[in-house]
Amino acid sequence: ITSKMLMRQAKRCQKEEKKELEKLKKAVNSGSKEEARIYGSNAIRKQNERLNITKMASRVDAVASKVQTAVTMQQVTRSIGGTVKLMDRAAQSMNLEQMSRIMDAFERQFEDLDVQTGYMEGAIGGTTALEMPQDEVDALIQRVAEENGIE
């Protein structure tokens, strides 16, 4: 929820930045250097504000993913603890059939844990913008610049 709110705020900043750029363009066309400086400063400030808010939203997403991982791991730990208790009871009674069923359940839980851990690691890696490979980011920026005829 917080991340979505931050992204909406970043979009507002982007709209305000565009308005300031339009004002800047008008001021440059009319030859008003002082107004152009003011509008240029405003546009840069809004751009920086938007970038900072976007970074914050990314961090919030990363923290939310880490919290979700911790909750999942806690649930799995409780489940495994219950299975171990059942294994102890089965070992005491030496009922091999019951021990076999419990061991199968234990192995399934570990497989589920591996799947959940892999999923959560992928989710965390995907939401942590700070850990993005810089060369990929640079390539994307270059591509967008070329598409728009910007050097």
Side-chain angles (χ1 to χ4, degrees), residues 42-55:
N42 289 345
I44 290 170
R45 187 173 7 84
K46 287 299 177 182
Q47 178 185 27
N48 290 336
E49 184 179 349
R50 177 179 51 84
L51 292 173
N52 288 334
I53 291 171
T54 303
K55 287 177 189 176

Side-chain angles (χ1 to χ4, degrees), residues 12 15-16 20 23-24 32 40 56 123 126 128 135 137 143:
R12 272 184 257 144
K15 288 178 184 177
E16 291 173 13
E20 292 297 324
K23 291 177 184 177
L24 170 65
S32 177
M56 181 67 73
T128 308
D135 57 334
V137 174
R143 189 190 75 203

Side-chain angles (χ1 to χ4, degrees), residues 76-92 98-99 101-107 109-110:
V76 170
T77 301
R78 277 192 225 127
S79 179
I80 290 172
T83 302
V84 168
K85 289 178 186 175
L86 289 174
M87 287 172 62
D88 284 343
R89 283 191 224 138
Q92 289 172 357
Q98 185 181 9
M99 275 185 78
R101 281 190 305 229
I102 292 170
M103 287 300 292
D104 289 343
F106 191 73
E107 288 175 9
Q109 287 179 352
F110 263 95

Side-chain angles (χ1 to χ4, degrees), residues 5-110:
M5 179 191 69
L6 290 170
M7 292 309 294
R8 283 193 299 270
Q9 190 173 353
K11 285 185 181 185
R12 272 184 257 144
C13 287
Q14 187 175 22
K15 288 178 184 177
E16 291 173 13
E17 176 188 354
K18 287 180 181 179
K19 287 179 185 177
E20 292 297 324
L21 289 173
E22 287 298 318
K23 291 177 184 177
L24 170 65
K25 185 177 178 181
K26 287 179 184 178
V28 168
N29 286 337
S30 69
S32 177
K33 290 183 181 181
E34 189 61 32
E35 283 184 18
R37 283 192 182 106
I38 292 170
Y39 295 137
S41 295
N42 289 345
I44 290 170
R45 187 173 7 84
K46 287 299 177 182
Q47 178 185 27
N48 290 336
E49 184 179 349
R50 177 179 51 84
L51 292 173
N52 288 334
I53 291 171
T54 303
K55 287 177 189 176
M56 181 67 73
S58 175
R59 289 179 182 151
V60 167
D61 280 342
V63 169
S65 292
K66 289 178 183 178
V67 168
Q68 181 61 43
T69 299
V71 168
T72 301
M73 295 301 280
Q74 187 178 26
Q75 291 170 345
V76 170
T77 301
R78 277 192 225 127
S79 179
I80 290 172
T83 302
V84 168
K85 289 178 186 175
L86 289 174
M87 287 172 62
D88 284 343
R89 283 191 224 138
Q92 289 172 357
S93 68
M94 291 305 288
N95 183 342
L96 294 177
E97 184 179 318
Q98 185 181 9
M99 275 185 78
S100 177
R101 281 190 305 229
I102 292 170
M103 287 300 292
D104 289 343
F106 191 73
E107 288 175 9
R108 277 194 307 274
Q109 287 179 352
F110 263 95

Side-chain angles (χ1 to χ4, degrees), residues 114-128:
D114 287 341
V115 169
Q116 288 176 350
T117 301
Y119 174 78
M120 293 309 294
E121 286 173 355
I124 289 171
T127 59
T128 308

